[in-house]
Amino acid sequence: MSPSLTVTAFFKSKLALACCLGALGTFSLSASAAAPEAGTFKMGIEPWLGYGQWHVAQSQGIFKQQGLEKVDIINFAEDKDINAALASGQIDGANIATHTAMAMVSAGLPIKVVLLLDQSETADALLVGKDITTLKDLKGKQVAFEEGTTSDILLHSAVNAAGLNWNDITPVPMPADSAGSALIAKRVTAAVTYEPYISAAKKQDPTLKMLYSGSSDPGLIGDVLVVRDSVLKEKPGQIAALIKSWDAALTHYQANTAADRALIAKAVGATPADLESAFDGVKYYSLAENKQVLSHSFSDQTFAHVLKAATAAGLIPKPVTAAEVIDASFVNSLP
């Protein structure tokens, strides 16, 4: 507080804040109760099974059931492409990694995290051949990974866990879908990638093993739904309906797991056999779980941990706070 702020002014500012918060609460409640606005919601997505419930929602007509006129799911091959589309306003929202959402807000992009989607446990991993047995063995070795992605964060975590410095390895930047192939071709000694590319690489070369994964650093690798601030203001009913659609799709998935896994596998360009164990490495978050964690442990603990790792990887231009990045009002106000 500024030394020049008088006691009276202080209490006035507190009163104004309380009024604003009250208005926000009213807005959130009315937003969740309102019917979705007319028009199309354009959603960016990548071939990652963690976003699978959107494919279930589309296939089962759940978007329509929740009153949404149309949800246009637009596929992107790489993080940089979906990030550019979000930044330019070509899409209304996107499914991205937690650290990517932080970086965007840090860079000044007006977006908010409105839903926690998934957490990767063994679906993001560092793969190595039979000659590498410990993380320390990576010293002096070439490691393939995609810069600015969850692979980047996970590799920094692995290097740190090994007691090594970043310059102890030879980073080889490339798209995640190429990293496994480079390892199989022995162009690199190790590769960080994610499903379905992990399963595809291990199928081609059964000698590959997982040396480090999301479960090695719990909470580090997760994904969120972000929406542009302007869309939050103009289409709050659509946002609420999208969140309810995700939850309804997850309920359907839990009751029809085999069929929905086959649907999701096809959507990400794989077969159920290719992803037989991959799904078990991903935790999906329900609406009830979002209510429990998004504005609590996720904001209070996980956020700081991911921010620290992303900052160490050089992905965050300037510090950001959970309050600047997360808007939990939608999940908290839904029944």
Side-chain angles (χ1 to χ4, degrees):
M1 190 197 324
S2 166
S4 61
L5 184 64
T6 65
V7 174
T8 301
F10 171 75
F11 280 107
K12 283 183 177 179
S13 68
K14 288 291 187 182
L15 178 61
L17 176 59
C19 291
C20 288
L21 289 175
L24 179 60
T26 301
F27 167 79
S28 299
L29 287 170
S30 61
S32 66
E37 297 77 14
T40 300
F41 185 93
K42 296 181 179 179
M43 177 192 292
I45 201 167
E46 289 185 76
W48 161 235
L49 58 86
Y51 307 145
Q53 303 312 321
W54 297 127
H55 298 300
V56 173
Q58 188 174 57
S59 174
Q60 300 300 321
I62 292 174
F63 292 134
K64 293 285 186 183
Q65 293 169 16
Q66 295 298 333
L68 288 157
E69 184 176 320
K70 183 181 179 182
V71 176
D72 191 3
I73 297 178
I74 304 169
N75 287 288
F76 293 85
E78 296 183 45
D79 280 20
K80 63 181 180 63
D81 298 325
I82 196 170
N83 297 350
L86 187 61
S88 63
Q90 294 177 40
I91 54 179
D92 300 314
N95 301 273
I96 59 178
T98 304
H99 79 270
T100 303
M102 294 175 178
M104 286 184 167
V105 174
S106 177
L109 186 65
I111 61 167
K112 291 291 187 298
V113 169
V114 297
L115 183 69
L116 179 59
L117 302 174
D118 67 80
Q119 179 178 303
S120 174
E121 295 172 344
T122 57
D124 284 77
L126 169 67
L127 298 178
V128 297
K130 57 185 178 181
D131 296 333
I132 302 294
T133 58
T134 70
L135 290 175
K136 289 185 180 296
D137 294 338
L138 294 176
K139 187 171 184 178
K141 302 298 192 300
Q142 292 184 311
V143 184
F145 72 107
E146 186 175 339
E147 288 184 301
T149 69
T150 52
S151 297
D152 197 339
I153 295 289
L154 190 64
L155 181 55
H156 272 82
S157 176
V159 168
N160 182 65
L164 301 175
N165 294 315
W166 188 247
N167 57 12
D168 286 328
I169 66 169
T170 302
V172 183
M174 65 177 66
D177 60 351
S178 302
S181 300
L183 177 59
I184 292 169
K186 300 190 185 306
R187 294 196 300 271
V188 295
T189 306
V192 184
T193 187
Y194 51 80
E195 295 290 6
Y197 309 124
I198 292 173
S199 293
K202 293 176 75 174
K203 183 178 180 180
Q204 286 185 297
D205 185 352
T207 68
L208 297 182
K209 59 182 180 244
M210 193 180 292
L211 189 63
Y212 197 83
S213 69
S215 63
S216 305
D217 193 347
L220 181 69
I221 308 297
D223 295 285
V224 294
L225 172 65
V226 299
V227 179
R228 295 178 59 84
D229 284 358
S230 59
V231 178
L232 289 176
K233 295 175 183 176
E234 296 165 6
K235 304 176 181 179
Q238 284 192 2
I239 309 309
L242 278 171
I243 292 172
K244 289 189 286 186
S245 295
W246 172 273
D247 194 56
L250 181 54
T251 298
H252 188 278
Y253 171 86
Q254 291 166 341
N256 306 272
T257 304
D260 285 354
R261 283 187 172 185
L263 186 156
I264 294 169
K266 181 179 180 180
V268 302
T271 67
D274 290 335
L275 301 179
E276 186 174 353
S277 62
F279 280 102
D280 295 330
V282 176
K283 171 182 172 51
Y284 292 112
Y285 282 90
S286 67
L287 172 58
E289 289 170 321
N290 266 270
K291 287 175 176 288
Q292 293 171 357
V293 304
L294 187 57
S295 58
H296 302 289
S297 62
F298 184 79
S299 295
D300 301 338
Q301 301 166 31
T302 305
F303 186 93
H305 180 57
V306 177
L307 180 63
K308 181 178 179 180
T311 301
L315 304 178
I316 308 296
K318 62 180 182 179
V320 290
T321 65
E324 293 174 303
V325 178
I326 301 168
D327 181 352
S329 64
F330 287 89
V331 299
N332 288 341
S333 63
L334 286 169

